[in-house]
Amino acid sequence: MAREKQPEAAAEAEGAPERSYREQLDYLNPIAQPLASPAKHKQIRRGVKEVQKFINKGEKGITVLAGDTLPIDVYCHIPIMCEDRSLPYAYVPSKSDLGAAAGSKRPTCVIMIKPHEEYQETYDECLEEVEALPLPL
């Protein structure tokens, strides 16, 4: 049985305009809380395997997850790992935007932004914003 394209995937393939940040919020998973605003950084870890590996190694940074990732099972353990190690994390609405922010043409469901002296001031601002977000219930 052939798999049908979803309407938004078909629209993207035809070169239709991208959905706004506000429209992307309609496709979030129920667990996508707290939700962060969009940000771009260098020095990142990208993808579930890589982020998980470096969390386990004790690397510090801000973890950002895409709220539209399905199935949720792919990455639902990452927030728990972050909480166990007191690492800040937040969700953004779109994995394609997250991939683009990570400097990739491919969508990604999770990145970790590492602190670096080149952008330490911006990193500290982002860290304050993420830590100020309300925790999930």
Side-chain angles (χ1 to χ4, degrees):
M1 180 164 80
R3 189 173 183 180
E4 294 182 31
K5 285 186 177 180
Q6 294 179 344
E8 61 269 12
E12 287 178 14
E14 295 171 6
E18 294 180 14
R19 292 185 300 212
S20 71
Y21 183 85
R22 197 64 149 145
E23 292 169 332
Q24 293 170 2
L25 296 176
D26 295 334
Y27 296 96
L28 292 178
N29 292 324
I31 66 166
Q33 292 296 327
L35 187 64
S37 58
K40 291 185 179 183
H41 291 284
K42 298 176 184 178
Q43 300 292 325
I44 60 169
R45 305 289 184 195
R46 186 171 49 90
V48 175
K49 281 184 164 183
E50 188 173 355
V51 169
Q52 179 178 324
K53 176 172 78 173
F54 285 98
I55 289 173
N56 283 333
K57 285 186 173 184
E59 190 166 287
K60 299 294 182 193
I62 302 169
T63 303
V64 184
L65 301 107
D68 63 349
T69 302
L70 291 174
I72 295 173
D73 299 354
V74 170
Y75 73 158
C76 64
H77 61 286
I78 299 290
I80 297 165
M81 292 175 68
C82 290
E83 288 176 9
D84 286 347
R85 291 161 180 83
S86 300
L87 295 174
Y89 69 94
Y91 288 85
V92 294
S94 168
K95 57 187 171 188
S96 50
D97 286 350
L98 188 57
S104 173
K105 292 180 181 179
R106 300 186 70 203
T108 187
C109 58
V110 62
I111 65 170
M112 176 187 274
I113 305 165
K114 302 182 330 179
H116 191 270
E117 67 268 357
E118 185 179 311
Y119 55 83
Q120 190 64 44
E121 187 176 317
T122 304
Y123 177 85
D124 292 339
E125 288 175 27
C126 290
L127 183 61
E128 284 179 31
E129 286 187 33
V130 170
E131 289 177 341
L133 292 170
L135 293 174
L137 299 175

